[in-house]
Amino acid sequence: MIKYRLECSSGHEFESWFRASADFDSQSLAGEIACPFCGSIDIEKQPMAPSIVTKAAVASRSAGPAAMQSGDSKATLEALRAIKKTVFENTEDVGPRFADEARKMHFGEIEERQIRGSSTLEEARELVDDGVPFGILPALPEDLN
Ligand SMILES: [Zn+2]
């Protein structure tokens, strides 16, 4: 799995996981990658810094029509489940306080730690505006039950 930093034509940045670099190209061409903030499918891949560690992960369920591409194979689902499990095991669930906590950490008001939680689309937009780094976890079929 490869994590790419992506940017839409309106300048929203987000991250998404792909099985291989070729997957980004084929899914992007097919219009299957949409910006979670504005829904644009005009997405470009950004150069990845070697050591980006996502401080915070936000569940995509409340963050809009996020990163789950159609046509995912079972193998991809399994890989995404594994990623999600890792995130869940290594982060503190702050629930709906996610945006607040992430922002305070970013601006040094509280000590940095690994958190996950949920945010509204509006909160996610504000985090992007403020330059607060966070990742979006793709929604899995079982999350939507
Ligand atoms: Zn966008």
Side-chain angles (χ1 to χ4, degrees):
M1 299 291 288
I2 303 172
K3 186 166 75 171
Y4 282 128
R5 177 172 283 271
L6 307 175
E7 186 178 328
C8 83
S9 51
S10 305
H12 302 128
E13 289 187 13
F14 58 103
E15 293 173 345
S16 193
W17 290 89
F18 298 91
R19 268 170 303 173
S21 59
D23 276 24
F24 170 81
D25 298 327
S26 61
Q27 291 183 17
S28 176
L29 276 177
E32 290 173 355
I33 304 170
C35 170
F37 304 105
C38 69
S40 167
I41 57 168
D42 189 1
I43 305 292
E44 283 192 6
K45 199 161 63 186
Q46 300 298 304
M48 217 41 200
S51 66
I52 288 183
V53 176
T54 310
K55 254 183 281 181
V58 59
S60 67
R61 196 173 173 184
S62 51
M68 193 68 184
Q69 289 85 38
S70 58
D72 284 289
S73 70
K74 204 174 164 194
T76 307
L77 270 182
E78 288 310 313
L80 289 173
R81 282 194 182 106
I83 291 164
K84 216 158 184 176
K85 186 162 177 279
T86 307
V87 169
F88 273 49
E89 282 171 355
N90 294 289
T91 56
E92 179 191 336
D93 187 2
V94 296
R97 289 185 293 118
F98 177 83
D100 263 1
E101 296 278 311
R103 179 176 286 106
K104 281 182 191 158
M105 270 185 250
H106 182 66
F107 292 109
E109 293 170 29
I110 57 174
E111 204 173 321
E112 286 191 6
R113 64 196 201 281
Q114 305 278 341
I115 61 168
R116 70 175 190 276
S118 57
S119 74
T120 63
L121 190 53
E122 196 161 317
E123 286 169 342
R125 283 198 180 111
E126 286 168 7
L127 289 179
V128 171
D129 286 347
D130 290 347
V132 179
F134 67 97
I136 293 173
L137 288 171
L140 295 172
E142 57 265 33
D143 294 336
L144 305 173
N145 291 333

